Amino acid sequence: MKALIALFKAMLGSLRDLLPIIIVIGFFQLIVLQEPLPNITSILLGLLFVVLGLTFFIFGLNMGLFPIGESMAQSFARKGSIFWLILFAFCLGFGTTIAEPALTAVAQEAAEVAAEGGVISQTLEDMDDYANGLRITVALSVGLAIVIGVVRILKGWPIHIMITGGYIGVIILTWFAPETIIGIAYDSGGVTTSTITVPLVTALGVGLASSIKGRNPMLDGFGLIAFASLLPMMFVMIYGMVLA
């Protein structure tokens, strides 16, 4: 009974989080456009699915991803093996990014647009190669980004200096990268911070900072996602320069 009550409260919380979007859409559709909602039954059913999906997703994070991420980070810290910790960080960043649905969608769309724009030939094989190359490039960059973030936590390096230097690198690369890849590169930095990557990477950072003496989880445990957004922009621009 307690579990059902908790689930019901979580559903109400998900509905509350979606309420601003519902109000905005309803206002502009009914008041501004003054048109009825099309397929109201499908919309309500879809809204129900979204609420259920958000509810179960949050439950899954709290029950599975956050605990396993924190516990593994703490175990590696207690083990004292820098090599295995670094390898785990890279594999975690690479694996979660490859599995990102948002990255897959952006890579496929980028391949189609590149083919239509004449950047690559309009064959299915070349489009798949372009999309897969883009996904692997972003995944490698996120893996390296998580490694840099983990080393930063271990060494206590100031994050603001590293992030500032990284964005200076992004600006410099923007001058030399082909124009056709710049927008894709900037979007690639955003799609890496999505449903799969964020929970595990955040749990890794917080768990690691909690296990190291002298580190504050609030100050040192967060910031990995910033690296995961920054490096893909640089790597994708370099990828475009290599293809060009």
Side-chain angles (χ1 to χ4, degrees):
M1 192 64 183
K2 291 182 179 180
L4 291 175
I5 294 175
L7 180 63
F8 180 72
K9 289 182 178 179
M11 290 180 63
L12 290 179
S14 299
L15 183 60
R16 180 195 60 206
D17 294 336
L18 287 172
L19 192 59
I21 302 176
I22 298 172
I23 292 174
V24 168
I25 293 175
F27 173 79
F28 281 94
Q29 181 71 28
L30 301 176
I31 305 300
V32 178
L33 297 178
Q34 295 183 353
E35 295 180 1
L37 289 171
N39 302 321
I40 185 65
T41 303
S42 299
I43 292 176
L44 292 176
L45 185 60
L47 179 62
L48 175 63
F49 288 157
V50 170
V51 171
L52 291 174
L54 280 175
T55 302
F56 288 120
F57 177 68
I58 294 172
F59 258 66
L61 291 182
N62 293 331
M63 293 177 61
L65 293 185
F66 277 126
I68 191 64
E70 290 186 17
S71 65
M72 291 189 71
Q74 292 169 357
S75 298
F76 277 115
R78 288 194 300 268
K79 189 178 180 64
S81 175
I82 301 298
F83 170 78
W84 289 111
L85 177 60
I86 295 299
L87 181 61
F88 170 69
F90 177 83
C91 292
L92 181 67
F94 183 90
T96 54
T97 305
I98 282 290
E100 277 292 353
L103 176 60
T104 302
V106 168
Q108 291 176 348
E109 189 68 24
E112 293 177 4
V113 173
E116 293 175 0
V119 178
I120 58 175
S121 60
Q122 292 185 344
T123 62
L124 187 60
E125 182 179 357
D126 286 344
M127 292 171 62
D128 286 341
D129 289 342
Y130 185 90
N132 291 331
L134 189 61
R135 289 178 63 200
I136 293 174
T137 299
V138 174
L140 288 172
S141 66
V142 174
L144 180 60
I146 303 306
V147 169
I148 294 173
V150 167
V151 173
R152 182 196 71 83
I153 294 175
L154 295 175
K155 298 294 185 180
W157 293 336
I159 187 172
H160 60 283
I161 295 178
M162 299 180 69
I163 295 296
T164 302
Y167 276 106
I168 291 174
V170 169
I171 294 172
I172 293 173
L173 283 172
T174 302
W175 286 99
F176 298 99
E179 292 183 357
T180 54
I181 202 68
I182 292 175
I184 298 173
Y186 282 26
D187 283 346
S188 297
V191 297
T192 56
T193 56
S194 191
T195 53
I196 299 177
T197 307
V198 171
L200 282 171
V201 171
T202 302
L204 170 65
V206 173
L208 186 60
S210 302
S211 305
I212 300 176
K213 187 177 180 180
R215 297 289 179 267
N216 187 331
M218 284 298 297
L219 299 178
D220 302 305
F222 295 91
L224 292 179
I225 302 301
F227 291 107
S229 299
L230 176 60
L231 257 68
M233 292 188 284
M234 302 175 69
F235 271 56
V236 171
M237 282 190 281
I238 294 173
Y239 175 71
M241 294 165 66
V242 171
L243 288 182

